[in-house]
Amino acid sequence: MIRVLVVEDEPIVRRDLVLTTPWEELGCVCLGGAEDGKQALEMIKEQRPDIVITDIRMPGINGLDLIEIVAEMCAVAENGYLCEFIILSGYSDFEYARQAMRSGVQEYLVKPIDDEELSQAVTRARQRIEEHKHEDSLKKKLSGSGESMLMLFREYKLGEQKNANTRYVEKAIEMITSSYIGGITIEEAADKMSISSSYLSRIFKQETGYTFVDYLTYYRIKRATEILRSTNTKIYEVADLVGYTDARYFSQIFRKLTGVTPKEFRDSRQE
């Protein structure tokens, strides 16, 4: 089950979110509520929730500060920890909400909270978490090796002899290179070629040595290194340019495949 923490300094609002939200129906379990950012940070460090629903305006550590602190935790976490945020705010705090969304937060709800909008936001966050956990298997490859995983990635080069399998794989690679920003699944690629996804999955791995998802991920991060080398584009913009709407998750995957964060990678090229 996906674990959720509620952070809200208004006791009535906090109680209602914790006790009346149908967490089990949403595929979640609520860990409880924190009354401010300081208590929330302690609970996050101890319990590692998957989703944090937080108000922006709070005494001490406010919502924006909490998001930034947890983002740093996620970037250096050894076990691939990732936390999705859903921010709660009034209309007058929209500028704060926009700042949070620039940091990778994708869900923003205006008080008073509509139950259906909350359910939809939690569902979207849960789906992203589940997708991230699936792709997290990348870090297990080459475990124990001190080498950058990305350095070992080689883009697929088709040989002179083309059989039916290599033609399908070539088309799949073309789809990845042309659609990596918007994203493409193996099911979509197979459907465009009128073959089964299981068949494409098998021959793709045989020909390239990678699964379709892994190849797409490696390709995206390789493009990101090229952008970081040649431009001063902001990290969240680089993430968007290679197909990641969540800048925090992009940074985490980048670090897994290169051994450094995007900022460290850029800084090392500027020294």
Side-chain angles (χ1 to χ4, degrees), residues 193-223:
M193 291 184 281
S194 299
I195 59 176
S196 71
S197 59
S198 59
Y199 174 65
L200 178 58
S201 176
R202 184 172 66 257
I203 63 174
F204 192 96
K205 182 66 179 292
Q206 289 173 348
E207 292 287 329
T208 69
Y210 299 95
T211 67
F212 187 93
V213 171
D214 285 356
Y215 191 98
L216 172 60
T217 301
Y218 279 108
Y219 187 84
R220 282 172 161 170
I221 299 303
K222 187 172 182 180
R223 298 285 81 79

mmCIF file of all heavy atoms in Angstrom, residues 193-223:
data_model
loop_
_atom_site.group_PDB
_atom_site.id
_atom_site.type_symbol
_atom_site.label_atom_id
_atom_site.label_comp_id
_atom_site.label_asym_id
_atom_site.label_seq_id
_atom_site.Cartn_x
_atom_site.Cartn_y
_atom_site.Cartn_z
ATOM 1 N N MET A 193 3.287 -1.263 -35.280
ATOM 2 C CA MET A 193 3.897 -2.218 -36.216
ATOM 3 C C MET A 193 3.040 -3.462 -36.414
ATOM 4 O O MET A 193 3.436 -4.393 -37.101
ATOM 5 C CB MET A 193 5.291 -2.610 -35.715
ATOM 6 C CG MET A 193 6.295 -1.477 -35.786
ATOM 7 S SD MET A 193 7.974 -1.967 -35.309
ATOM 8 C CE MET A 193 7.835 -1.963 -33.523
ATOM 9 N N SER A 194 1.872 -3.475 -35.745
ATOM 10 C CA SER A 194 0.925 -4.604 -35.867
ATOM 11 C C SER A 194 1.553 -5.922 -35.418
ATOM 12 O O SER A 194 1.366 -6.975 -36.038
ATOM 13 C CB SER A 194 0.411 -4.726 -37.308
ATOM 14 O OG SER A 194 -0.268 -3.550 -37.696
ATOM 15 N N ILE A 195 2.333 -5.861 -34.339
ATOM 16 C CA ILE A 195 2.872 -7.077 -33.739
ATOM 17 C C ILE A 195 2.546 -7.045 -32.255
ATOM 18 O O ILE A 195 2.130 -6.010 -31.721
ATOM 19 C CB ILE A 195 4.401 -7.208 -33.947
ATOM 20 C CG1 ILE A 195 5.126 -6.000 -33.324
ATOM 21 C CG2 ILE A 195 4.734 -7.335 -35.428
ATOM 22 C CD1 ILE A 195 6.643 -6.098 -33.410
ATOM 23 N N SER A 196 2.735 -8.154 -31.563
ATOM 24 C CA SER A 196 2.417 -8.195 -30.140
ATOM 25 C C SER A 196 3.540 -7.547 -29.330
ATOM 26 O O SER A 196 4.710 -7.579 -29.720
ATOM 27 C CB SER A 196 2.219 -9.637 -29.675
ATOM 28 O OG SER A 196 3.449 -10.333 -29.663
ATOM 29 N N SER A 197 3.179 -6.967 -28.210
ATOM 30 C CA SER A 197 4.177 -6.328 -27.356
ATOM 31 C C SER A 197 5.143 -7.353 -26.766
ATOM 32 O O SER A 197 6.325 -7.056 -26.550
ATOM 33 C CB SER A 197 3.495 -5.529 -26.238
ATOM 34 O OG SER A 197 2.680 -6.372 -25.444
ATOM 35 N N SER A 198 4.650 -8.568 -26.490
ATOM 36 C CA SER A 198 5.525 -9.610 -25.935
ATOM 37 C C SER A 198 6.584 -10.020 -26.951
ATOM 38 O O SER A 198 7.747 -10.250 -26.596
ATOM 39 C CB SER A 198 4.704 -10.827 -25.506
ATOM 40 O OG SER A 198 3.989 -11.370 -26.603
ATOM 41 N N TYR A 199 6.187 -10.089 -28.217
ATOM 42 C CA TYR A 199 7.137 -10.430 -29.284
ATOM 43 C C TYR A 199 8.180 -9.323 -29.429
ATOM 44 O O TYR A 199 9.386 -9.578 -29.496
ATOM 45 C CB TYR A 199 6.396 -10.644 -30.602
ATOM 46 C CG TYR A 199 7.297 -10.870 -31.791
ATOM 47 C CD1 TYR A 199 8.113 -12.003 -31.868
ATOM 48 C CD2 TYR A 199 7.340 -9.950 -32.838
ATOM 49 C CE1 TYR A 199 8.944 -12.218 -32.960
ATOM 50 C CE2 TYR A 199 8.174 -10.154 -33.938
ATOM 51 C CZ TYR A 199 8.970 -11.289 -33.989
ATOM 52 O OH TYR A 199 9.796 -11.488 -35.065
ATOM 53 N N LEU A 200 7.721 -8.075 -29.461
ATOM 54 C CA LEU A 200 8.649 -6.951 -29.583
ATOM 55 C C LEU A 200 9.583 -6.896 -28.380
ATOM 56 O O LEU A 200 10.780 -6.629 -28.527
ATOM 57 C CB LEU A 200 7.883 -5.636 -29.720
ATOM 58 C CG LEU A 200 8.745 -4.370 -29.811
ATOM 59 C CD1 LEU A 200 9.710 -4.463 -30.997
ATOM 60 C CD2 LEU A 200 7.869 -3.136 -29.931
ATOM 61 N N SER A 201 9.047 -7.160 -27.202
ATOM 62 C CA SER A 201 9.864 -7.145 -25.990
ATOM 63 C C SER A 201 10.997 -8.160 -26.085
ATOM 64 O O SER A 201 12.147 -7.863 -25.736
ATOM 65 C CB SER A 201 8.991 -7.441 -24.764
ATOM 66 O OG SER A 201 9.772 -7.529 -23.598
ATOM 67 N N ARG A 202 10.674 -9.355 -26.579
ATOM 68 C CA ARG A 202 11.669 -10.415 -26.667
ATOM 69 C C ARG A 202 12.764 -10.094 -27.684
ATOM 70 O O ARG A 202 13.959 -10.190 -27.376
ATOM 71 C CB ARG A 202 10.989 -11.739 -27.035
ATOM 72 C CG ARG A 202 11.936 -12.924 -27.062
ATOM 73 C CD ARG A 202 11.212 -14.232 -27.235
ATOM 74 N NE ARG A 202 10.555 -14.350 -28.544
ATOM 75 C CZ ARG A 202 9.254 -14.202 -28.743
ATOM 76 N NH1 ARG A 202 8.450 -13.940 -27.722
ATOM 77 N NH2 ARG A 202 8.728 -14.327 -29.954
ATOM 78 N N ILE A 203 12.378 -9.671 -28.872
ATOM 79 C CA ILE A 203 13.394 -9.419 -29.901
ATOM 80 C C ILE A 203 14.176 -8.128 -29.601
ATOM 81 O O ILE A 203 15.350 -8.021 -29.962
ATOM 82 C CB ILE A 203 12.781 -9.356 -31.314
ATOM 83 C CG1 ILE A 203 11.790 -8.187 -31.438
ATOM 84 C CG2 ILE A 203 12.119 -10.681 -31.671
ATOM 85 C CD1 ILE A 203 11.265 -8.002 -32.871
ATOM 86 N N PHE A 204 13.527 -7.177 -28.940
ATOM 87 C CA PHE A 204 14.216 -5.934 -28.593
ATOM 88 C C PHE A 204 15.354 -6.233 -27.626
ATOM 89 O O PHE A 204 16.470 -5.726 -27.792
ATOM 90 C CB PHE A 204 13.231 -4.945 -27.969
ATOM 91 C CG PHE A 204 13.766 -3.542 -27.848
ATOM 92 C CD1 PHE A 204 13.490 -2.585 -28.819
ATOM 93 C CD2 PHE A 204 14.543 -3.162 -26.763
ATOM 94 C CE1 PHE A 204 13.982 -1.296 -28.719
ATOM 95 C CE2 PHE A 204 15.041 -1.875 -26.645
ATOM 96 C CZ PHE A 204 14.763 -0.936 -27.630
ATOM 97 N N LYS A 205 15.082 -7.060 -26.614
ATOM 98 C CA LYS A 205 16.105 -7.429 -25.636
ATOM 99 C C LYS A 205 17.213 -8.249 -26.307
ATOM 100 O O LYS A 205 18.406 -8.050 -26.019
ATOM 101 C CB LYS A 205 15.465 -8.221 -24.492
ATOM 102 C CG LYS A 205 16.437 -8.622 -23.384
ATOM 103 C CD LYS A 205 16.967 -7.416 -22.656
ATOM 104 C CE LYS A 205 17.925 -7.786 -21.521
ATOM 105 N NZ LYS A 205 17.242 -8.479 -20.416
ATOM 106 N N GLN A 206 16.839 -9.143 -27.226
ATOM 107 C CA GLN A 206 17.831 -9.961 -27.919
ATOM 108 C C GLN A 206 18.769 -9.107 -28.773
ATOM 109 O O GLN A 206 19.971 -9.337 -28.812
ATOM 110 C CB GLN A 206 17.126 -10.988 -28.808
ATOM 111 C CG GLN A 206 16.427 -12.100 -28.049
ATOM 112 C CD GLN A 206 15.606 -13.003 -28.957
ATOM 113 O OE1 GLN A 206 15.361 -12.685 -30.128
ATOM 114 N NE2 GLN A 206 15.175 -14.136 -28.425
ATOM 115 N N GLU A 207 18.209 -8.117 -29.450
ATOM 116 C CA GLU A 207 18.996 -7.316 -30.389
ATOM 117 C C GLU A 207 19.821 -6.228 -29.705
ATOM 118 O O GLU A 207 20.923 -5.921 -30.134
ATOM 119 C CB GLU A 207 18.062 -6.666 -31.425
ATOM 120 C CG GLU A 207 17.404 -7.639 -32.377
ATOM 121 C CD GLU A 207 18.393 -8.182 -33.411
ATOM 122 O OE1 GLU A 207 19.338 -7.466 -33.784
ATOM 123 O OE2 GLU A 207 18.212 -9.334 -33.840
ATOM 124 N N THR A 208 19.259 -5.612 -28.661
ATOM 125 C CA THR A 208 19.924 -4.453 -28.053
ATOM 126 C C THR A 208 20.596 -4.761 -26.722
ATOM 127 O O THR A 208 21.506 -4.040 -26.307
ATOM 128 C CB THR A 208 18.926 -3.310 -27.813
ATOM 129 O OG1 THR A 208 18.011 -3.680 -26.770
ATOM 130 C CG2 THR A 208 18.153 -2.982 -29.088
ATOM 131 N N GLY A 209 20.127 -5.791 -26.040
ATOM 132 C CA GLY A 209 20.638 -6.084 -24.707
ATOM 133 C C GLY A 209 19.908 -5.341 -23.603
ATOM 134 O O GLY A 209 20.234 -5.478 -22.429
ATOM 135 N N TYR A 210 18.911 -4.534 -23.986
ATOM 136 C CA TYR A 210 18.132 -3.748 -23.031
ATOM 137 C C TYR A 210 16.648 -4.035 -23.193
ATOM 138 O O TYR A 210 16.197 -4.397 -24.282
ATOM 139 C CB TYR A 210 18.343 -2.247 -23.257
ATOM 140 C CG TYR A 210 19.752 -1.767 -23.080
ATOM 141 C CD1 TYR A 210 20.602 -1.648 -24.176
ATOM 142 C CD2 TYR A 210 20.239 -1.418 -21.827
ATOM 143 C CE1 TYR A 210 21.901 -1.204 -24.025
ATOM 144 C CE2 TYR A 210 21.540 -0.968 -21.668
ATOM 145 C CZ TYR A 210 22.370 -0.866 -22.773
ATOM 146 O OH TYR A 210 23.654 -0.426 -22.615
ATOM 147 N N THR A 211 15.897 -3.842 -22.117
ATOM 148 C CA THR A 211 14.448 -3.833 -22.262
ATOM 149 C C THR A 211 14.057 -2.516 -22.928
ATOM 150 O O THR A 211 14.844 -1.557 -22.955
ATOM 151 C CB THR A 211 13.730 -3.935 -20.903
ATOM 152 O OG1 THR A 211 13.981 -2.734 -20.153
ATOM 153 C CG2 THR A 211 14.202 -5.150 -20.119
ATOM 154 N N PHE A 212 12.842 -2.435 -23.425
ATOM 155 C CA PHE A 212 12.364 -1.219 -24.086
ATOM 156 C C PHE A 212 12.388 -0.034 -23.120
ATOM 157 O O PHE A 212 12.881 1.050 -23.454
ATOM 158 C CB PHE A 212 10.939 -1.452 -24.606
ATOM 159 C CG PHE A 212 10.391 -0.342 -25.455
ATOM 160 C CD1 PHE A 212 10.529 -0.373 -26.829
ATOM 161 C CD2 PHE A 212 9.715 0.723 -24.873
ATOM 162 C CE1 PHE A 212 10.017 0.655 -27.619
ATOM 163 C CE2 PHE A 212 9.203 1.752 -25.646
ATOM 164 C CZ PHE A 212 9.352 1.714 -27.030
ATOM 165 N N VAL A 213 11.891 -0.243 -21.884
ATOM 166 C CA VAL A 213 11.844 0.837 -20.883
ATOM 167 C C VAL A 213 13.248 1.279 -20.494
ATOM 168 O O VAL A 213 13.529 2.481 -20.379
ATOM 169 C CB VAL A 213 11.059 0.387 -19.638
ATOM 170 C CG1 VAL A 213 11.191 1.413 -18.519
ATOM 171 C CG2 VAL A 213 9.581 0.188 -19.982
ATOM 172 N N ASP A 214 14.163 0.333 -20.305
ATOM 173 C CA ASP A 214 15.531 0.686 -19.941
ATOM 174 C C ASP A 214 16.202 1.490 -21.040
ATOM 175 O O ASP A 214 16.901 2.478 -20.771
ATOM 176 C CB ASP A 214 16.351 -0.573 -19.648
ATOM 177 C CG ASP A 214 16.010 -1.191 -18.306
ATOM 178 O OD1 ASP A 214 15.198 -0.593 -17.575
ATOM 179 O OD2 ASP A 214 16.543 -2.264 -17.987
ATOM 180 N N TYR A 215 16.012 1.063 -22.281
ATOM 181 C CA TYR A 215 16.629 1.776 -23.407
ATOM 182 C C TYR A 215 16.109 3.201 -23.465
ATOM 183 O O TYR A 215 16.878 4.162 -23.644
ATOM 184 C CB TYR A 215 16.336 1.059 -24.730
ATOM 185 C CG TYR A 215 17.163 1.582 -25.885
ATOM 186 C CD1 TYR A 215 18.327 0.924 -26.286
ATOM 187 C CD2 TYR A 215 16.805 2.748 -26.568
ATOM 188 C CE1 TYR A 215 19.100 1.403 -27.342
ATOM 189 C CE2 TYR A 215 17.569 3.238 -27.609
ATOM 190 C CZ TYR A 215 18.716 2.565 -27.996
ATOM 191 O OH TYR A 215 19.479 3.056 -29.034
ATOM 192 N N LEU A 216 14.798 3.379 -23.304
ATOM 193 C CA LEU A 216 14.203 4.716 -23.312
ATOM 194 C C LEU A 216 14.797 5.567 -22.190
ATOM 195 O O LEU A 216 15.128 6.746 -22.398
ATOM 196 C CB LEU A 216 12.685 4.608 -23.143
ATOM 197 C CG LEU A 216 11.907 5.919 -22.944
ATOM 198 C CD1 LEU A 216 12.094 6.843 -24.139
ATOM 199 C CD2 LEU A 216 10.421 5.620 -22.732
ATOM 200 N N THR A 217 14.959 4.988 -21.010
ATOM 201 C CA THR A 217 15.510 5.728 -19.873
ATOM 202 C C THR A 217 16.956 6.137 -20.124
ATOM 203 O O THR A 217 17.338 7.294 -19.908
ATOM 204 C CB THR A 217 15.422 4.889 -18.591
ATOM 205 O OG1 THR A 217 14.052 4.552 -18.340
ATOM 206 C CG2 THR A 217 15.976 5.652 -17.395
ATOM 207 N N TYR A 218 17.766 5.196 -20.573
ATOM 208 C CA TYR A 218 19.161 5.509 -20.872
ATOM 209 C C TYR A 218 19.256 6.592 -21.957
ATOM 210 O O TYR A 218 20.088 7.501 -21.869
ATOM 211 C CB TYR A 218 19.899 4.262 -21.350
ATOM 212 C CG TYR A 218 20.359 3.346 -20.243
ATOM 213 C CD1 TYR A 218 19.739 2.122 -20.031
ATOM 214 C CD2 TYR A 218 21.433 3.688 -19.427
ATOM 215 C CE1 TYR A 218 20.163 1.264 -19.030
ATOM 216 C CE2 TYR A 218 21.871 2.842 -18.422
ATOM 217 C CZ TYR A 218 21.221 1.630 -18.228
ATOM 218 O OH TYR A 218 21.650 0.795 -17.225
ATOM 219 N N TYR A 219 18.427 6.473 -22.974
ATOM 220 C CA TYR A 219 18.461 7.442 -24.078
ATOM 221 C C TYR A 219 18.119 8.835 -23.566
ATOM 222 O O TYR A 219 18.768 9.829 -23.931
ATOM 223 C CB TYR A 219 17.479 7.019 -25.176
ATOM 224 C CG TYR A 219 17.575 7.872 -26.415
ATOM 225 C CD1 TYR A 219 18.536 7.605 -27.398
ATOM 226 C CD2 TYR A 219 16.718 8.951 -26.612
ATOM 227 C CE1 TYR A 219 18.636 8.394 -28.536
ATOM 228 C CE2 TYR A 219 16.815 9.747 -27.744
ATOM 229 C CZ TYR A 219 17.771 9.463 -28.706
ATOM 230 O OH TYR A 219 17.875 10.256 -29.828
ATOM 231 N N ARG A 220 17.098 8.936 -22.729
ATOM 232 C CA ARG A 220 16.702 10.228 -22.169
ATOM 233 C C ARG A 220 17.842 10.857 -21.358
ATOM 234 O O ARG A 220 18.132 12.046 -21.492
ATOM 235 C CB ARG A 220 15.469 10.053 -21.269
ATOM 236 C CG ARG A 220 14.157 9.912 -22.013
ATOM 237 C CD ARG A 220 13.037 9.541 -21.075
ATOM 238 N NE ARG A 220 11.732 9.831 -21.654
ATOM 239 C CZ ARG A 220 10.586 9.432 -21.130
ATOM 240 N NH1 ARG A 220 10.577 8.719 -20.016
ATOM 241 N NH2 ARG A 220 9.446 9.736 -21.713
ATOM 242 N N ILE A 221 18.465 10.062 -20.492
ATOM 243 C CA ILE A 221 19.521 10.602 -19.645
ATOM 244 C C ILE A 221 20.747 10.976 -20.481
ATOM 245 O O ILE A 221 21.423 11.977 -20.198
ATOM 246 C CB ILE A 221 19.906 9.604 -18.540
ATOM 247 C CG1 ILE A 221 18.697 9.319 -17.636
ATOM 248 C CG2 ILE A 221 21.064 10.131 -17.708
ATOM 249 C CD1 ILE A 221 18.097 10.555 -16.986
ATOM 250 N N LYS A 222 21.027 10.228 -21.536
ATOM 251 C CA LYS A 222 22.146 10.593 -22.408
ATOM 252 C C LYS A 222 21.879 11.937 -23.078
ATOM 253 O O LYS A 222 22.772 12.778 -23.194
ATOM 254 C CB LYS A 222 22.375 9.518 -23.464
ATOM 255 C CG LYS A 222 23.627 9.764 -24.299
ATOM 256 C CD LYS A 222 23.942 8.597 -25.211
ATOM 257 C CE LYS A 222 25.228 8.859 -25.988
ATOM 258 N NZ LYS A 222 25.560 7.719 -26.888
ATOM 259 N N ARG A 223 20.633 12.148 -23.532
ATOM 260 C CA ARG A 223 20.278 13.450 -24.122
ATOM 261 C C ARG A 223 20.422 14.561 -23.073
ATOM 262 O O ARG A 223 20.845 15.670 -23.370
ATOM 263 C CB ARG A 223 18.847 13.419 -24.652
ATOM 264 C CG ARG A 223 18.577 12.429 -25.758
ATOM 265 C CD ARG A 223 19.132 12.857 -27.114
ATOM 266 N NE ARG A 223 20.546 12.588 -27.285
ATOM 267 C CZ ARG A 223 21.054 11.391 -27.590
ATOM 268 N NH1 ARG A 223 20.248 10.354 -27.755
ATOM 269 N NH2 ARG A 223 22.337 11.229 -27.746
#
